[in-house]
Amino acid sequence: MVYKFTILSDEVDDFVRVIKIDADATFYDFHKAILKACGYKDDQMTSFFICEDDWEKREEITLEDMGKSSSEEDVFIMKDTKINDLVEDEKQKLIYVFDPLTERSLFIELSEIIPGKDLLKAEIARKEGKAPIQTVDFETAMEKTLKNRMDNDDLDDSLYGDKDFNDDELDLDGFNISEGNPYDDSNY
């Protein structure tokens, strides 16, 4: 079987990659195909995540064994895990974290299953737009995030409350304010 994955970015609107890969290939093979399709270097600790329909992360497939799992948790390593071990249905969603320091990711969906075919190696079936840059400086990423938040007009209302709040409208009689230490054992 051949899996056809569509890959998108939330950073670059016109970025699309479609990769066809054998269902028996490993996540490491898929990782290498994504690097090639995006022109990325193989120098980051990337991870795949199998996701729910709402993109909530479930299982993680790591490049290397990070030794952080408990005995109850399955450990999936890219070189040891076949894609069809964890991906079986069309429309299955995955996230590929390509910049782990800033959690920047690509969004992947299994767009088609092609039965009765095999591929020896992955193919880039569609390549549109420029890929997001592979890594960004952490401070630059934080500055950009803060700037985006500051540019959001709703920030004051939703995060800090109503701009038109008047201290005189606060009814202090509704609060029980007592003197002394509220954590004193005699109060309990």
Side-chain angles (χ1 to χ4, degrees), residues 34-49:
I34 292 171
L35 294 178
K36 183 178 178 182
C38 294
Y40 291 161
K41 294 179 188 174
D42 192 4
D43 63 354
Q44 299 296 312
M45 288 301 295
T46 60
S47 290
F48 285 95
F49 287 90

Side-chain angles (χ1 to χ4, degrees), residues 9-21:
S9 168
D10 64 347
E11 295 179 38
V12 181
D13 291 336
D14 64 343
F15 170 83
V16 178
R17 298 293 186 271
V18 175
I19 294 178
K20 291 182 180 178
I21 191 166

Side-chain angles (χ1 to χ4, degrees), residues 53-100:
D53 287 339
D54 62 356
W55 296 100
E56 185 175 331
K57 295 175 182 175
R58 289 188 341 224
E59 296 86 8
E60 180 179 14
I61 305 97
T62 59
L63 189 57
E64 301 288 332
D65 186 353
M66 305 303 279
K68 65 179 180 179
S69 67
S70 67
S71 59
E72 300 170 7
E73 217 175 287
D74 288 329
V75 176
F76 298 105
I77 309 300
M78 287 185 199
K79 286 185 179 178
D80 301 332
T81 309
K82 291 182 179 183
I83 298 170
N84 62 5
D85 287 345
L86 298 175
V87 178
E88 299 173 342
D89 302 317
E90 282 189 16
K91 305 298 180 195
Q92 174 66 60
K93 292 175 175 36
L94 299 94
I95 290 176
Y96 177 73
V97 178
F98 63 90
D99 184 359

Side-chain angles (χ1 to χ4, degrees), residues 65-182:
D65 186 353
M66 305 303 279
K68 65 179 180 179
S69 67
S70 67
S71 59
E72 300 170 7
E73 217 175 287
D74 288 329
V75 176
F76 298 105
I77 309 300
M78 287 185 199
K79 286 185 179 178
D80 301 332
T81 309
K82 291 182 179 183
I83 298 170
N84 62 5
D85 287 345
L86 298 175
V87 178
E88 299 173 342
D89 302 317
E90 282 189 16
K91 305 298 180 195
Q92 174 66 60
K93 292 175 175 36
L94 299 94
I95 290 176
Y96 177 73
V97 178
F98 63 90
D99 184 359
L101 186 60
T102 57
E103 287 286 319
R104 294 171 53 242
S105 308
L106 297 174
F107 298 88
I108 305 170
E109 183 176 273
L110 177 56
S111 48
E112 185 179 357
I113 297 174
I114 306 167
K117 296 206 176 207
D118 295 316
L119 283 176
L120 295 177
K121 64 179 200 169
E123 297 177 1
I124 302 168
R126 183 173 162 200
K127 187 175 180 178
E128 291 181 22
K130 189 173 180 181
I133 59 172
Q134 186 174 7
T135 58
V136 295
D137 177 43
F138 186 73
E139 289 179 17
T140 304
M142 289 305 295
E143 287 173 12
K144 183 178 178 183
T145 300
L146 289 173
K147 182 180 180 333
N148 287 343
R149 288 185 179 166
M150 295 306 287
D151 289 344
N152 182 355
D153 291 337
D154 295 335
L155 184 63
D156 288 337
D157 292 339
S158 63
L159 187 59
Y160 298 111
D162 188 357
K163 291 188 246 192
D164 300 326
F165 175 75
N166 184 347
D167 286 336
D168 296 332
E169 294 175 358
L170 181 61
D171 180 15
L172 291 176
D173 292 335
F175 293 95
N176 183 8
I177 300 174
S178 62
E179 293 184 24
N181 183 354

